[in-house]
Amino acid sequence: MKTVKPFTLRTWSTPLTIGSFILMSVTGVLMFFDVVPGYLAFAHEWFSWFFLVGAGGHIAVNFRPLVRHLQSNWGKANVAIFAIILVVSTFSFGRITAPQLKWPISNALIEAPLSALADVTRTDPAELLAKLKTHGVTATPDQNIKELADAHDMDEFHILGLVILRE
């Protein structure tokens, strides 16, 4: 008869750490090369919480070896180097980066009238309104995506995708 291993911190934290590390690594590398299909970025961002939980359990199980490592010169240097990288990464040094632009651009597009979005996408305003109507969104050229999302109980980014993305 096979004995069942008890459900301990180690039995769940190690597999969770390994699995989520693989997910974070693969999605992170793909994102680095701007290969971001479907829900890849969503999976990377949200499932990183599983990695943190697993790593927290893994740290708890291996606390003494961690403390010994952190007391060594290599351990201290490791913490210092990555702390410095973390602090330095919070500064842009006067450069504007793509992640800094993500939300301001999204908000500007969501709050712009559809007539302006038609210009941006080089689409005839009537054609844009017809395209939205085929997806159940009735609109006028002076409305914006925020208003349409509220009126149709839809996600703003879904409607923005209908406007921006080519089918």
Side-chain angles (χ1 to χ4, degrees), residues 43-111:
H44 183 82
E45 290 173 1
W46 286 96
F47 283 89
S48 65
W49 290 104
F50 287 98
F51 179 71
L52 292 175
V53 169
H58 190 67
I59 288 169
V61 168
N62 297 290
F63 190 72
R64 281 194 206 135
L66 174 66
V67 169
R68 271 195 309 273
H69 173 69
L70 293 177
Q71 290 171 340
S72 73
N73 288 337
W74 281 112
K76 291 174 188 171
N78 186 38
V79 170
I81 289 167
F82 283 97
I84 290 167
I85 292 169
L86 175 63
V87 169
V88 170
S89 71
T90 64
F91 297 101
S92 66
F93 304 103
R95 295 190 54 133
I96 297 173
T97 63
Q100 289 172 309
L101 293 172
K102 176 183 175 183
W103 289 110
I105 289 173
S106 297
N107 288 332
L109 293 172
I110 287 168
E111 294 172 3

Side-chain angles (χ1 to χ4, degrees), residues 119-165:
D119 287 342
V120 168
T121 59
R122 294 183 173 94
T123 307
D124 179 63
E127 187 181 322
L128 177 58
L129 296 178
K131 179 181 178 183
L132 289 172
K133 190 168 183 98
T134 63
H135 292 279
V137 180
T138 54
T140 62
D142 60 322
Q143 286 183 295
N144 65 37
I145 289 175
K146 185 170 184 50
E147 295 166 345
L148 294 175
D150 291 341
H152 293 86
D153 195 30
M154 295 175 79
D155 181 66
E156 294 170 343
F157 285 101
H158 179 76
I159 299 174
L160 181 60
L162 296 175
V163 171
I164 301 287
L165 299 175

Side-chain angles (χ1 to χ4, degrees), residues 12-35:
W12 66 262
S13 66
T14 300
L16 184 59
T17 304
I18 292 167
S20 56
F21 171 77
I22 292 168
L23 178 70
M24 295 299 101
S25 300
V26 172
T27 56
V29 168
L30 289 171
M31 290 169 62
F32 178 82
F33 290 108
D34 289 325
V35 178

